[in-house]
Amino acid sequence: MPLEPFNGGTPLTMGVELELQLVSFSDYDLTASSPDLLHLLARKPFPGNVTPEITESMIEINSDVHTKHSELLAQLHQVRDTLVTAGEQLNIGIAGGGTHPFQKWVERRIFEKPRFKQVSQLYGYLAKQFTVFGQHVHIGCANGDDALFLLHSLSRYLPHFIALSASSPFVQGGDTLFNSARLNSVFAFPMSGRAPFLLSWDEFEHSYFAKMEHTGVIKSMKDFYWDIRPKPEYGTIELRVCDTPLTVERAAALACYLQALCAYLLERKEEPPAEDDYLVYNYNRFQACRFGLDGTVVHPKTYESLSLREDILTTLRKMDPYAEKLGGTAALNHLMQVTHMGSDAQYLRDQFNVSGSVEGIVDAAVRRFRGRM
C-alpha cells in the first residue's frame, strides 16, 4: 500500500496516548481483564478513546487534539476517573509505570485482534514480552518537510523525555539498575531505533518508504517502531520513547514540553540537523535509560559532555517564553520539580524500600494513578 499523503494541519497541536496496566487487587499481578473492561466502558460515552493493546493485561487511551495544557490535563483527569470507577466495578486497579515489576511474560494472553495475532506469529515470544507501557505524544505539523525536520532536530532532546518519564526500574521481580528498562524490550524489534536521515517528504515517500514496501518487510508506518516517527494520516510526528508516567499530570507536562520544544525548533535558530548528530545517539539514549536524570550525554554538535539533569534544567528555562505563549507554564514548572526531586523510577524504588515487596510497588502505583498519594 503506497504511503498516504501527509495530512498537514494546524502546527503545534498535541495529543497523548497512554498504555496502562490492569492489575488484580487480590495479588497485584497483571490480570487479563481488558475484554471485560472495554465491554463495561462501551456502555456509556468515554472522554477520549480507549482501545485494546497487544495483550489482555493492558489498554491504551487516547486524548483528543489539544492546543493548551489546561485542556489536555482536564481531559486526562476525566479519563483517569472514568477508568478508576470502571476498574473498581471489576475489582481491578489501573496503573501507570513502564513495566509491571514482577509479571511473567509467559502468562500473558494476546488480545483477539487480527493485527495482534499477526504480530504474535511474526515475533514469537517478543509479542508477549511487549507487555510494557509507554506514553506516545503527537505534535501537529504543517507539512511533511516540517515533520521530518522536527523528527531529526528532536533527536538531541530524546534523552530528556526518557529521563523525565522513566518509570520502569523493576522487571521480573528484580531491580534492573535501569531507570527505563522498558525501552530494552522495544529495541528487540528489527524496525526499532531511529528513522533514516531524510529531510524531504517527497524523498522519504518515494526513495525510502516505496523501497521498503517493495522489499515486503513493511506494509505501513505502523510497522516502524522508531523512537520518533511521522504519522501522515494525522499530520503529526509521534514521540515514542516515554515510559507511561505514574500520573496523568506528568503525562500532560511531557506533552507540553514537547510542544514548546517544537515551537522553538521551528524558528530554526539552532544549527540544522545532520546525519552526524546520530554518532552519539545510541550512547545518549543508553545513558538516559540506565542512569535517568543522573546520566551524562554528549552534545551532538560540540561533543561536549553534559550532565543530563543540568541540560534539562537549562532547556526548560530556555523554553519558558514558548510555554508561556502556548499556555504551558505550569507544565514546565512540574518538570522542573521532577528534575530537582527525582523521577517516577526513584519513587518506585523508594516504595520498594518502604514496603519491602514488589507487590507494595504496584499498590503504590495504583494509588498514585488515582491521585491519592
Side-chain angles (χ1 to χ4, degrees), residues 129-168:
Q129 202 175 49
F130 206 45
T131 305
V132 292
F133 310 87
Q135 172 180 354
H136 302 168
V137 182
H138 288 260
I139 298 293
C141 302
N143 54 64
D145 287 359
D146 278 356
L148 292 174
F149 171 81
L150 285 174
L151 186 156
H152 293 295
S153 298
L154 284 165
S155 65
R156 176 249 185 283
Y157 298 100
L158 282 195
H160 293 200
F161 291 91
I162 295 171
L164 287 167
S165 69
S167 60
S168 53

Side-chain angles (χ1 to χ4, degrees), residues 10 22 41 59 144 165 168 181 195 203 251 260 307 319 341 357 359 372:
T10 305
L22 307 181
L41 290 169
I59 57 169
S165 69
S168 53
E203 189 177 1
S307 157
M319 293 305 111
M341 299 180 66
S357 71
E359 292 82 3
R372 297 180 185 175

